[in-house]
Amino acid sequence: MELRRLGNSDIWISPVLMGTWQAGKAMWTGIDDNETQKAIRAAYDAGINTFDTAEVYGNGHSERILGKALSGVREKVVVATKVFSNHLKSDQVKKACERSLKNLQTDYIDLYQVHWPPGSFGHVAVPMQEIIGAFSDLKKQGKIRAIGVSNFNRQQLEAAAQCAEIVSLQPPYSLFWRQVEKDASVFCRDSGLSVLAYSPMAQGLLTGRFGPDHRFEKGDHRSSNRLFQAPHFQRVQAALDRLKPIADAKNITLGQLALAWVMAQPNTCAIAGARNAAQAVQNAAAARVQLSAEDLQTMDDISLSVTDHLDDNPVMWKW
Ligand SMILES: NC(=O)c1ccc[n+]([C@@H]2O[C@H](COP(=O)([O-])OP(=O)(O)OC[C@H]3O[C@@H](n4cnc5c(N)ncnc54)[C@H](OP(=O)(O)O)[C@@H]3O)[C@@H](O)[C@H]2O)c1
């Protein structure tokens, strides 16, 4: 897989990253540790060199599984993790980093990200300078190689970028969720930041697997995703019907088409979540899909039939 530069750093990442929120088990159902480890190794074997996790995913479980699955190939991969919004004071960031290093069985994190902006979920609104200052100290000590942020709006991103070099923004971004385009996209493009799109298949919706009668098991957080709810869900189904012939004509799956669209956006890579090896391998293959200007235009029109009806709330879930 042809690698892309992460922001202006000397780190090179695969355009399809593997997301491992699933590996944490919490907020998902039916996740099996052995299957997850096989999925991670299959992703690696299929050319994915970059893996995204977070301290909060299963309270360290995702990081531990990832560390285990990548043992032996650590030097060949890029590991991205995140500190949660309850650990943003300077000493908390440093302790969280130590925990993540231990969980991941490594002595450096390639990309360390602020998971949610300060003040999220009722947590203390730690000043940006303190947060990014702590990240900069970790970078000087060689514990992290680069600094990224997630779920930041443009204003928050600019504030962070005034404190130190930020190489990436991780927003929700897919054919069905495009708020970032109205906000931080231009800043990222102008400043050379990578956009690492999360939920690029709209949490599975864009694979076409979840029809009108689908009900998630109790404990699967996706039932609170606004795209899975009326009135958006009906528009989503109609949009999928229009996307299907494009995927069929290319002999690819709907999910691969969705990932290819994300990767075709300026300086954007797709973090694809997977629960098993088959999904991971299929997602990796999306890096080979070519979309013409005409394909992109048609897909843009279809996408707007969903996104034009969403409000400006940047959070996908009703929490
Ligand atoms: N920064 C943040 O706040 C944030 C938030 C969300 C996610 N993320 C990151 O982004 C990653 C991806 O986001 P996401 O997991 O929410 O959404 P996603 O990647 O759009 O969707 C993942 C889900 O899609 C289904 N799927 C994946 N590959 C498939 C395939 N080849 N065929 C059929 N179905 C497939 C699976 O559903 P089933 O499980 O039902 O099989 C999987 O759990 C996460 O793992 C995490 O690393 C970050």
Side-chain angles (χ1 to χ4, degrees), residues 159-282:
Q162 273 166 19
C163 305
E165 191 193 3
I166 307 296
V167 299
S168 58
L169 170 68
Q170 184 177 144
Y173 191 22
S174 72
L175 275 163
F176 293 160
W177 199 269
R178 298 173 62 173
Q179 273 91 337
V180 67
E181 291 177 358
K182 294 184 212 150
D183 181 48
S185 284
V186 174
F187 179 81
C188 291
R189 203 171 52 220
D190 292 350
S191 313
L193 270 73
S194 294
V195 175
L196 308 179
Y198 78 68
S199 304
M201 291 169 283
Q203 300 213 285
L205 199 48
L206 271 157
T207 66
R209 278 176 46 210
F210 302 108
D213 300 323
H214 185 78
R215 296 285 170 275
F216 285 110
E217 276 179 54
K218 194 168 179 283
D220 191 324
H221 75 283
R222 287 176 289 184
S223 52
S224 66
N225 183 322
R226 295 197 280 144
L227 288 170
F228 284 88
Q229 299 173 356
H232 308 299
F233 196 63
Q234 286 74 3
R235 293 194 192 98
V236 157
Q237 297 303 327
L240 287 170
D241 288 344
R242 293 171 64 198
L243 288 168
K244 185 83 172 64
I246 306 175
D248 287 348
K250 295 182 182 297
N251 208 12
I252 58 172
T253 65
L254 269 170
Q256 289 171 326
L257 184 71
L259 292 174
W261 180 87
V262 167
M263 285 183 271
Q265 306 311 308
N267 50 300
T268 303
C269 296
I271 310 177
R275 68 165 63 224
N276 58 41
Q279 289 183 352
V281 169
Q282 204 176 73

Side-chain angles (χ1 to χ4, degrees), residues 246 261 292-304:
I246 306 175
W261 180 87
S292 66
E294 195 188 337
D295 293 329
L296 289 168
Q297 180 61 55
T298 311
M299 292 171 78
D300 187 55
D301 289 345
I302 299 171
S303 156
L304 295 178

Side-chain angles (χ1 to χ4, degrees), residues 19-22 28 52-53 57 82 115-116 150-151 170 198-204 207 209-210 222 271-275 278-279 282-283 317:
T20 62
W21 183 5
Q22 289 76 355
W28 298 83
D52 179 72
T53 182
Y57 296 163
K82 319 180 193 81
H115 201 154
W116 287 87
S150 177
N151 296 299
Q170 184 177 144
Y198 78 68
S199 304
M201 291 169 283
Q203 300 213 285
T207 66
R209 278 176 46 210
F210 302 108
R222 287 176 289 184
I271 310 177
R275 68 165 63 224
Q279 289 183 352
Q282 204 176 73
N283 298 342
W317 304 274

Side-chain angles (χ1 to χ4, degrees), residues 59-242:
N59 197 17
H61 191 70
S62 170
E63 290 181 328
R64 286 189 287 273
I65 292 285
L66 185 62
K68 212 166 153 186
L70 293 176
S71 69
V73 295
R74 173 64 187 99
E75 304 303 320
K76 295 183 180 146
V77 295
V78 174
V79 174
T81 190
K82 319 180 193 81
V83 58
F84 200 55
S85 50
N86 57 340
H87 292 148
L88 294 182
K89 288 186 184 165
S90 183
D91 58 327
Q92 293 173 322
V93 169
K94 290 173 184 173
K95 279 187 195 142
C97 180
E98 290 303 328
R99 274 196 305 274
S100 290
L101 287 169
K102 195 166 169 226
N103 286 339
L104 288 160
Q105 300 179 30
T106 184
D107 53 8
Y108 67 96
I109 290 162
D110 297 280
L111 175 65
Y112 201 35
Q113 305 158 100
V114 185
H115 201 154
W116 287 87
S120 297
F121 307 108
H123 295 131
V124 182
V126 181
M128 198 66 81
Q129 232 161 357
E130 177 174 345
I131 304 166
I132 304 298
F135 272 63
S136 297
D137 289 347
L138 292 169
K139 197 173 159 194
K140 279 184 210 128
Q141 293 163 11
K143 294 188 174 175
I144 67 171
R145 291 177 70 198
I147 306 171
V149 298
S150 177
N151 296 299
F152 275 38
N153 64 27
R154 181 182 173 136
Q155 210 182 0
Q156 292 157 340
L157 183 53
E158 282 188 34
Q162 273 166 19
C163 305
E165 191 193 3
I166 307 296
V167 299
S168 58
L169 170 68
Q170 184 177 144
Y173 191 22
S174 72
L175 275 163
F176 293 160
W177 199 269
R178 298 173 62 173
Q179 273 91 337
V180 67
E181 291 177 358
K182 294 184 212 150
D183 181 48
S185 284
V186 174
F187 179 81
C188 291
R189 203 171 52 220
D190 292 350
S191 313
L193 270 73
S194 294
V195 175
L196 308 179
Y198 78 68
S199 304
M201 291 169 283
Q203 300 213 285
L205 199 48
L206 271 157
T207 66
R209 278 176 46 210
F210 302 108
D213 300 323
H214 185 78
R215 296 285 170 275
F216 285 110
E217 276 179 54
K218 194 168 179 283
D220 191 324
H221 75 283
R222 287 176 289 184
S223 52
S224 66
N225 183 322
R226 295 197 280 144
L227 288 170
F228 284 88
Q229 299 173 356
H232 308 299
F233 196 63
Q234 286 74 3
R235 293 194 192 98
V236 157
Q237 297 303 327
L240 287 170
D241 288 344
R242 293 171 64 198

